[in-house]
Amino acid sequence: MWTGTTPRIKVLVIDDSALVRKNITETLALDPEIEVVGMANDPLIAMDKVERLQPDVITLDMEMPRMDGLTYLRQMHAKRSPVAVVVISSLTPQGSSVALAAMDAGASEVLAKPDGNTSIGALAAKLSFHVKAAYAAKQRTRHHPKAPFTPAVRPAQVSHPASHAKPGDRRLIVIGASTGGVEALRSLLPALPQGLPPILVVQHIPAFFSKAVAERLNTLTPYEVREAVNDEAILPGECLIAPGNHHLMVVADAHGYRTRLTQSPPVHHCRPAVDLLFRSAAQTAGAHTLAILLTGMGSDGALGMHAIHQVGGINLTEHEDSCVVYGMPRAAVNLGVVDKLVMLEQMPKALLEALAELPT
């Protein structure tokens, strides 16, 4: 946490729109822990300002003249820049594809760029939160460099027959993640075999981008991964990801479980929120619930894990040593509701072992 005695986080705002630059700057200026040290209308100007101003974080538009944001980000990544990057991308399928490439190139966070339907005011509640998350993630990775992405283990390497779903099986797997979570999911999900109980995922990402993430994951896994839709049956052997800007919850019906999507107010500045998924799982699946909380800033998911703990489910959290940001797992640990802390590369094995312990 920041205090009045610690240096403020220095931010450089890069966007070709003068209005967006002004609005982002004014929004961040409301947070006493953040200082906007400059603005730039394209990456070529930004290069000089980064050198002179030494920002901790930049907010980066993707579509700009002379050089696009993705090219600039890739150059920064190649030079191992110490500056954290928050991408602000358009809410379109094409923008989401570029945003996903931006995360591959080292962006810590992706937010939706204001358009005709939304204003920068819609970002105000969470913009400073994500700037702080990006800063925390960069600080950690500078001191604990991570190897290039590879799946934790191959599906054939991890197996536990008792973990596979059978007719009438009531077990449910729920996963929550935030900063660094897209990479963590790319490690965990492809390492899981087919035939497991259903998996529901809340990852803090904007609308449209969640679909791009689901489609990418679906190409890596031996089972189907896709965005959830409202009021659909939740089936074994599938992984459903919460759409951006919608809370995902689970409800019971005569045949098992169904999804419920809502746009009720954000929780912890987030929609979707992990807590809402976890609490609904506790209420609906009870002791048949396995919850996993991966890397992320803040405390979302901790209270949901408390609810799961109270009904006899099993809670696993990612170990501090493999987290990009050890915020959400730490909050759950501090509540005393975590059954096991697990390094990310060991999470597939731990997940299957925990499933085998749950009542079916």
Side-chain angles (χ1 to χ4, degrees):
M1 294 295 293
W2 287 262
T3 70
T5 60
T6 57
R8 291 193 290 175
I9 301 170
K10 297 187 295 182
V11 179
L12 176 68
V13 177
I14 308 172
D15 197 292
D16 63 330
S17 165
L19 179 60
V20 171
R21 292 196 304 272
K22 177 176 181 290
N23 287 339
I24 291 176
T25 298
E26 291 177 349
T27 298
L28 291 176
L30 297 173
D31 193 312
E33 298 166 352
I34 294 174
E35 177 187 9
V36 177
V37 294
M39 295 181 284
N41 61 12
D42 70 37
L44 297 181
I45 295 172
M47 289 177 188
D48 175 64
K49 293 198 173 185
V50 166
E51 188 71 26
R52 288 190 295 106
L53 301 173
Q54 298 290 300
D56 302 303
V57 180
I58 63 172
T59 67
L60 182 63
D61 184 18
M62 287 286 97
E63 298 179 8
M64 289 178 288
R66 300 207 291 173
M67 180 185 288
D68 63 87
L70 183 57
T71 299
Y72 177 50
L73 181 57
R74 285 171 172 160
Q75 289 185 6
M76 292 179 67
H77 188 61
K79 294 177 181 177
R80 302 188 178 214
S81 169
V83 181
V85 179
V86 175
V87 165
I88 301 182
S89 181
S90 58
L91 277 174
T92 65
Q94 180 179 0
S96 295
S97 176
V98 172
L100 191 57
M103 295 203 79
D104 289 341
S108 297
E109 297 278 326
V110 173
L111 297 176
K113 186 172 185 179
D115 59 16
N117 299 317
T118 60
S119 68
I120 197 68
L123 282 178
K126 58 185 178 181
L127 183 55
S128 62
F129 174 87
H130 288 287
V131 164
K132 293 173 184 178
Y135 174 76
K138 195 66 173 183
Q139 291 297 105
R140 179 164 182 81
T141 54
R142 284 179 67 186
H143 296 98
H144 302 84
K146 300 189 75 174
F149 161 74
T150 53
V153 288
R154 296 178 181 176
Q157 292 177 283
V158 58
S159 182
H160 200 302
S163 65
H164 288 254
K166 301 173 181 63
D169 199 324
R170 295 185 58 198
R171 291 176 299 176
L172 181 68
I173 305 165
V174 289
I175 301 175
S178 186
T179 310
V182 173
E183 182 180 354
L185 290 169
R186 287 202 301 160
S187 177
L188 170 60
L189 294 180
L192 299 177
Q194 299 181 58
L196 297 183
I199 303 171
L200 302 181
V201 176
V202 163
Q203 163 71 44
H204 294 163
I205 39 180
F208 288 102
F209 186 40
S210 53
K211 184 176 181 180
V213 169
E215 289 174 347
R216 171 75 68 84
L217 289 168
N218 190 52
T219 67
L220 301 173
T221 58
Y223 49 89
E224 185 176 15
V225 180
R226 58 183 171 81
E227 261 194 333
V229 298
N230 187 46
D231 195 32
E232 68 171 318
I234 298 173
L235 302 175
E238 290 186 346
C239 175
L240 304 179
I241 294 182
N245 206 32
H246 289 77
H247 293 305
L248 170 62
M249 291 171 282
V250 54
V251 296
D253 70 5
H255 305 289
Y257 304 128
R258 300 190 75 80
T259 59
R260 175 172 292 166
L261 299 182
T262 76
Q263 289 191 299
S264 56
V267 177
H268 308 292
H269 305 299
C270 298
R271 188 170 61 201
V274 181
D275 268 337
L276 294 189
L277 173 62
F278 282 12
R279 283 191 293 213
S280 71
Q283 293 166 1
T284 305
H288 305 277
T289 306
L290 170 59
I292 297 169
L293 198 54
L294 301 173
T295 174
M297 180 86 166
S299 62
D300 190 19
L303 292 177
M305 277 199 157
H306 184 268
I308 291 167
H309 178 74
Q310 287 188 312
V311 297
I314 296 177
N315 292 326
L316 307 179
T317 61
E318 185 177 349
H319 194 285
E320 180 177 7
D321 289 349
S322 66
C323 280
V324 173
V325 179
Y326 187 60
M328 289 158 50
R330 184 199 301 274
V333 169
N334 288 344
L335 285 180
V337 297
V338 176
D339 296 292
K340 189 174 184 180
L341 282 75
V342 184
M343 293 289 289
L344 181 61
E345 59 266 28
Q346 296 300 320
M347 190 65 79
K349 180 174 181 289
L351 182 154
L352 297 184
E353 290 173 348
L355 269 181
E357 296 176 14
L358 288 178
T360 57

